[in-house]
Amino acid sequence: MTNDSFVLRGGIAFSDGPNSIVTYYRGYVVCMDGVCKGAFVELPSKYKALQLYDYGERLIIPGMTDLHVHAPQYTFRGIGMDAELLEWLSTYTFPEEAKYADMEYARKAYQYFTEDLRRCFTTRAVVFGTLHNEATIELMNQLERTGVITYVGKVNMDRNGGENLQEESAEASLSSTIEWLDQVQDKYVNTKPILTPRFIPSCSDELMTGIGKLAEEKNLRIQSHLSENHSEIAWVKDLVPESTCYANAYEMFNTMGTVDRPTIMAHCVHSDDREIAILKKHGAYIAHCADSNMNLTSGIAPVRRFLDAGVNVGLGTDVAAGSSMNMVKTMLITLQASKMYYRLVDEKVKPLTFEEVFYLATAGGGKYFGNVGTFKDGYDFDAVVIDDSKMFSMRDMSIRERIERMCYNDADAIIKDKFVKGKKVFSAIL
Ligand code: GUN
Ligand code: FE
């Protein structure tokens, strides 16, 4: 028996596929060497010798995956939300990211980000840094210490970033990416590099082609942005006139990935059937970022259509276009956005259910990391223990009702403990 082998007892809830949440009142979930052995109503006798932690009436759910978050934008979240994407980038975002050339600034700002990441529902995250190698390595060093498992990208941008946030040339961007990779590949246990061309307006054809090659040669994954905003989409059509659509432009540069090296595309708000088919063909993941899409007036992504088409989908907070790293808040906005899509856009597209959104936040995004995001046998043991005892009710509530209530009104749900691969990475002092 090791420290990574134990049993937790409490109000258990986990997804058993997109349409069903399994719950056990005062049930058990077993962790052996960081791997989940399943959840049970009665503890099987073979696990009775393991250390038992009884959380009483508290809730125990799988950890959540934030498929898309910008670490350097964390410190200006919630302000400057009066613009649409392109104006927001040039007015607020690029000037802020330029500050990460200063290591003292980067170190301090990344401490706020990493400490809050450790404290939230997220156990896995896919993170954008900035184009600066040194600051991105500092971010990775700090993230490694949190115990949260992440992919992190040094951003590539060789055009349209203005004077202060732009690499000199495609060649300079690629060679600094290779230098960064040499310094970080295999350096960490929990933190992996991911190639991060910001989006096509930030990356020349030459740079995109180079990134496609690098991904293949070094077997690396890619993350980027796709079809978030109408002006952005029109701009991409001008920049890559031979492309049949925005997703095809990524395809032309061999950056759409493969099933073994899936690319994450954030947003896809305006993706049509043709674009959805391209994402599906490549085994790509859509990071649906409803909070961000509301804040920047981007639109509402047709998530039900992605799911019906069999495309991989998870949720992203997209801080700072999304104003919070709280995945439970992101779940709520995902639900509300899909209800409004149904009411205002297309009544043939049914709103997402609570079951579906809980699945997307846990197992849907978790799949990007392997067997992650539920309490089935063989999954990594990522779990969050929640105290909702301050949410008074006049009657007994089921576990299912309590997690739904937490989502719709999260103010009084407190994270008590958080585990990643069986290691406790956060504990609140209540
Ligand atoms: N597209 C390119 N860069 C960004 C960014 O930082 N945030 C969002 N929401 N979209 C982008
Ligand atoms: Fe983003």
Side-chain angles (χ1 to χ4, degrees):
M1 203 193 303
T2 68
N3 284 343
D4 300 350
S5 299
F6 51 82
V7 179
L8 306 186
R9 185 168 195 211
I12 312 258
F14 59 98
S15 278
D16 184 21
N19 297 308
S20 129
I21 299 175
V22 178
T23 62
Y24 299 137
Y25 176 66
R26 305 273 291 132
Y28 301 85
V29 59
V30 176
C31 175
M32 292 275 276
D33 298 323
V35 178
C36 185
K37 291 285 156 189
F40 309 94
V41 183
E42 296 289 338
L43 187 63
S45 55
K46 62 183 168 183
Y47 301 127
K48 288 203 167 140
L50 293 176
Q51 176 77 46
L52 173 76
Y53 298 98
D54 192 341
Y55 284 104
E57 292 297 323
R58 290 181 177 125
L59 298 166
I60 305 173
I61 64 171
M64 295 185 178
T65 291
D66 187 343
L67 266 192
H68 184 73
V69 56
H70 296 258
Q73 298 174 14
Y74 188 61
T75 53
F76 79 99
R77 71 199 180 286
I79 48 174
M81 305 262 64
D82 49 0
E84 292 194 24
L85 175 67
L86 300 178
E87 190 195 341
W88 176 79
L89 286 173
S90 58
T91 311
Y92 304 106
T93 312
F94 290 176
E96 178 62 27
E97 289 194 15
K99 295 179 188 163
Y100 286 72
D102 173 354
M103 279 306 294
E104 208 175 312
Y105 188 89
R107 196 169 295 115
K108 193 162 175 200
Y110 281 150
Q111 275 164 8
Y112 292 121
F113 171 77
T114 53
E115 181 52 19
D116 283 0
L117 183 70
R118 198 170 70 81
R119 293 171 168 273
C120 70
F121 292 92
T122 303
T123 50
R124 312 267 169 158
V126 187
V127 183
F128 271 58
T130 60
L131 58 74
H132 312 97
N133 280 12
E134 213 183 339
T136 305
I137 293 169
E138 171 64 22
L139 170 63
M140 295 174 89
N141 290 342
Q142 290 191 25
L143 280 169
E144 181 70 9
R145 293 194 288 269
T146 64
V148 174
I149 294 179
T150 61
Y151 283 90
V152 180
K154 166 241 174 315
V155 175
N156 296 97
M157 320 173 57
D158 70 340
R159 65 178 175 191
N160 298 317
E163 248 173 70
N164 295 326
L165 197 70
Q166 192 170 302
E167 295 164 298
E168 251 167 52
S169 62
E171 207 187 354
S173 178
L174 289 166
S175 65
S176 93
T177 304
I178 291 167
E179 264 173 42
W180 166 67
L181 288 168
D182 286 345
Q183 289 179 70
V184 298
Q185 260 181 328
D186 310 320
K187 178 175 174 190
Y188 308 103
V189 178
N190 299 323
T191 318
K192 289 201 180 82
I194 181 167
L195 295 175
T196 305
R198 180 169 213 123
F199 66 160
I200 283 182
S202 297
C203 302
S204 64
D205 292 6
E206 192 188 344
L207 177 53
M208 289 303 294
T209 306
I211 287 170
K213 278 208 190 97
L214 202 55
E216 202 159 19
E217 276 165 26
K218 293 190 176 274
N219 194 25
L220 289 165
R221 297 182 182 202
I222 294 173
Q223 62 177 345
S224 195
H225 296 90
L226 175 64
S227 294
E228 176 176 4
N229 162 290
H230 287 305
S231 309
E232 172 210 19
I233 294 166
W235 194 10
V236 171
K237 187 68 200 158
D238 276 354
L239 290 167
V240 193
E242 327 76 274
S243 60
T244 55
C245 61
Y246 195 163
N248 174 246
Y250 282 114
E251 240 184 345
M252 283 170 49
F253 302 121
N254 201 15
T255 53
M256 209 26 122
T258 63
V259 173
D260 298 331
R261 291 188 282 110
T263 290
I264 296 178
M265 284 297 173
H267 305 299
C268 305
V269 172
H270 303 289
S271 294
D272 58 10
D273 287 346
R274 197 175 36 164
E275 214 157 73
I276 293 172
I278 292 173
L279 290 156
K280 161 110 173 142
K281 181 172 119 198
H282 290 269
Y285 279 67
I286 295 173
H288 172 52
C289 307
D291 186 16
S292 161
N293 299 156
M294 295 283 178
N295 291 335
L296 297 186
T297 329
S298 301
I300 307 175
V303 181
R304 159 98 38 236
R305 290 178 44 218
F306 303 154
L307 295 175
D308 287 349
V311 179
N312 296 309
V313 187
L315 304 185
T317 60
D318 195 27
V319 159
S323 52
S324 147
M325 254 199 311
N326 183 340
M327 283 292 292
V328 171
K329 180 181 170 197
T330 300
M331 283 172 59
L332 172 58
I333 298 171
T334 301
L335 281 159
Q336 292 174 331
S338 85
K339 290 175 186 183
M340 287 304 106
Y341 189 90
Y342 165 74
R343 179 60 65 218
L344 301 175
V345 182
D346 186 349
E347 292 203 341
K348 291 193 289 301
V349 181
K350 291 276 176 256
L352 297 172
T353 62
F354 181 72
E355 274 70 11
E356 286 172 318
V357 172
F358 183 74
Y359 170 84
L360 292 176
T362 55
K367 197 170 139 199
Y368 181 78
F369 287 84
N371 282 341
V372 171
T374 187
F375 289 149
K376 289 186 195 166
D377 187 8
Y379 275 64
D380 286 356
F381 191 90
D382 292 7
V384 181
V385 181
I386 298 150
D387 185 339
D388 67 347
S389 58
K390 299 268 183 332
M391 303 178 99
F392 301 111
S393 171
M394 294 303 286
R395 63 177 177 84
D396 287 343
M397 296 180 75
S398 68
I399 302 294
R400 161 70 173 72
E401 285 176 321
R402 285 168 59 195
I403 56 167
E404 183 180 9
R405 179 180 65 170
M406 170 182 80
C407 177
Y408 277 88
N409 178 7
D410 75 342
D412 294 321
I414 296 161
I415 297 175
K416 165 84 180 87
D417 283 330
K418 179 162 103 175
F419 298 83
V420 180
K421 275 196 176 175
K423 292 208 163 47
K424 196 186 278 188
V425 301
F426 172 73
S427 187
I429 301 147
L430 285 180

